[in-house]
Amino acid sequence: NSILTIVGKWFWLMITLLVLSTSESASQYVRIDDPGKVYNLGRRFEVLNAPSDTPEITDLIRGIHDHSFEPTGQNIPKFSPGNVAVWCKIMVENQTEENIILEIKNPDIEQLELYVVGDSGMIEQEIRTGNYKPVADRLIQHRFFYLPLELSEGEINTIFLKCRTETPELYLPLSMGTLTAFYQGDHLRNLMQGLFIGLILFIFVYNFFLFLTLKKFEYLYFSLFVACMGLMFAVMNGYSFEYYWSEWAWLHRYIGLNAAMAGIFVILFTSFFLKSRFTAPRRHIWLLSLAGLYMVAIILNLYGAVEVAIRFIEFNTGFTVIFLLFTSITVLRQGYRPALYYIISLSIFIIGFI
């Protein structure tokens, strides 16, 4: 009897948890009731993949495509739309007296269209923007997209967001909250990222100075690799677009060049640091071959095959990192002690990147 009692309690507990989880996932809108909180929308909106010109916003408002919207199921949704628009549907209720901001923490989106639809089914607000518009010309000047929403207090509004990019992958880290809440979190983030960029600059200058002093090319290649990684960090976090080339959004199409150059420089640094030409001649040839593959990716990117080039770089980078690790282990087994420091540094880099 005691066993049956325990099983019965366990059964009802599971039923209760299932009902609670179902009711939570069935929640059809985001309720904003804390002005000091930033709400992550990752799992709380639905998406629809559609051709870039269809469907029209009027069809979405009429509910013709409601059956095609699906939950993201991810905290940071990622899509591979190619040249296809992604429609997002968000239902939100503002229970505060303050203005609400929609944050899109991805600076590399070519086209953004936002529509706020009220209970009456009419479009109450429309915003069109994208990385073609300089930061100085945006409604809120920020390296990410900050879209101010006109939401009536206590009313449930439906937000349709159309996103289109020419990059192979589209990340949509969406958040919602008041401008004060965003700036409070952004202050600490800017401080930490500023310290990181300062460290990158210090490492670059220090190694470049060593190259000028000692005339050893491993320091030159390492400093150039660090410069490429720093530029990549600035691009991913929107600093490059805000401060460097706000007027030239088309440069983002060639961001693959930076990744490819970073791969080439780290291969050249490895070959000089491990002296692979003498310690591992066969692997040295393979290292040069991998650098040649990065050159192929650069040519593809320059000729406009952006998606193919980035996919090529991703595949080649994964293989290169593994090959560098095994090469350094091979060199270490042959008694070349500096390879141990290389293995430790590369392992830390891989863990940090993951």
Side-chain angles (χ1 to χ4, degrees):
N1 292 334
S2 60
I3 295 178
L4 291 177
T5 302
I6 294 175
V7 172
K9 291 181 178 180
W10 177 258
F11 175 77
W12 285 112
L13 176 62
M14 295 302 296
I15 292 295
T16 303
L17 293 175
L18 179 62
V19 171
L20 290 176
S21 63
T22 303
S23 60
E24 182 179 357
S25 62
S27 179
Q28 295 183 354
Y29 64 92
V30 180
R31 178 179 298 169
I32 299 178
D33 51 14
D34 186 355
K37 180 181 178 181
V38 174
Y39 294 81
N40 180 19
L41 305 181
R43 298 177 180 270
R44 308 175 74 175
F45 68 93
E46 299 177 325
V47 294
L48 167 70
N49 287 332
S52 56
D53 296 330
T54 56
E56 298 293 338
I57 181 61
T58 53
D59 295 332
L60 298 180
I61 295 175
R62 291 163 55 192
I64 296 177
H65 300 278
D66 281 353
H67 63 282
S68 300
F69 279 93
E70 298 179 353
T72 63
Q74 306 174 61
N75 289 327
I76 302 181
K78 181 179 70 173
F79 312 95
S80 300
N83 194 27
V84 173
V86 175
W87 278 99
C88 305
K89 180 180 179 181
I90 312 166
M91 301 186 69
V92 58
E93 179 184 3
N94 180 21
Q95 294 189 343
T96 71
E97 297 179 354
E98 300 192 30
N99 296 325
I100 303 300
I101 305 296
L102 174 64
E103 179 196 52
I104 307 173
K105 199 179 296 184
N106 181 357
D108 195 20
I109 301 179
E110 278 79 10
Q111 178 187 0
L112 279 172
E113 297 180 14
L114 180 139
Y115 304 90
V116 177
V117 181
D119 288 337
S120 62
M122 301 295 294
I123 297 177
E124 300 180 353
Q125 183 185 7
E126 180 177 344
I127 299 177
R128 295 174 182 266
T129 185
N131 64 9
Y132 65 87
K133 181 173 290 189
V135 174
D137 296 338
R138 297 179 184 176
L139 296 175
I140 298 179
Q141 298 180 13
H142 197 275
R143 64 185 187 278
F144 297 130
F145 295 103
Y146 275 30
L147 307 181
L149 305 177
E150 299 175 0
L151 304 177
S152 303
E153 182 180 355
E155 180 180 341
I156 298 179
N157 295 98
T158 302
I159 299 174
F160 291 101
L161 182 67
K162 181 181 180 181
C163 308
R164 181 177 174 272
T165 181
E166 294 182 0
T167 57
E169 293 183 340
L170 172 65
Y171 293 87
L172 282 180
L174 303 184
S175 300
M176 196 173 285
T178 63
L179 192 59
T180 302
F182 278 121
Y183 277 166
Q184 288 175 350
D186 207 39
H187 177 73
L188 179 59
R189 183 165 56 243
N190 283 335
L191 176 62
M192 299 305 296
Q193 292 179 349
L195 292 174
F196 179 77
I197 293 177
L199 178 62
I200 290 292
L201 289 175
F202 171 77
I203 295 174
F204 167 75
V205 173
Y206 178 73
N207 281 273
F208 191 75
F209 177 77
L210 288 177
F211 163 70
L212 295 177
T213 305
L214 303 176
K215 306 300 182 182
K216 292 186 176 182
F217 281 93
E218 51 263 50
Y219 292 111
L220 172 63
Y221 294 134
F222 184 74
S223 63
L224 293 175
F225 165 72
V226 170
C228 288
M229 295 303 297
L231 179 59
M232 192 178 304
F233 175 83
V235 170
M236 293 176 62
N237 287 276
Y239 293 109
S240 60
F241 185 78
E242 182 174 6
Y243 297 109
Y244 305 145
W245 50 71
S246 180
E247 301 288 343
W248 307 308
W250 55 269
L251 285 176
H252 280 248
R253 300 177 184 176
Y254 302 100
I255 191 59
L257 301 179
N258 182 68
M261 293 303 295
I264 292 174
F265 290 138
V266 75
I267 289 174
L268 293 175
F269 163 73
T270 302
S271 65
F272 275 86
F273 184 81
L274 297 180
K275 302 185 185 305
S276 60
R277 182 178 178 182
F278 308 102
T279 57
R282 292 183 179 179
R283 293 184 180 271
H284 178 76
I285 296 176
W286 278 100
L287 286 175
L288 297 181
S289 300
L290 291 173
L293 292 178
Y294 278 118
M295 291 299 300
V296 173
I298 290 176
I299 295 173
L300 290 173
N301 202 158
L302 290 175
Y303 275 89
V306 179
E307 182 173 355
V308 176
I310 293 180
R311 294 296 186 189
F312 195 86
I313 292 171
E314 290 175 349
F315 174 80
N316 197 40
T317 299
F319 185 80
T320 298
V321 170
I322 297 174
F323 190 80
L324 292 177
L325 187 59
F326 278 99
T327 299
S328 58
I329 294 174
T330 300
V331 174
L332 178 62
R333 287 179 176 177
Q334 294 182 3
Y336 188 67
R337 296 294 297 175
L340 177 62
Y341 305 114
Y342 181 91
I343 294 173
I344 296 174
S345 301
L346 181 60
S347 301
I348 294 174
F349 177 79
I350 294 173
I351 294 174
F353 191 80
I354 295 176

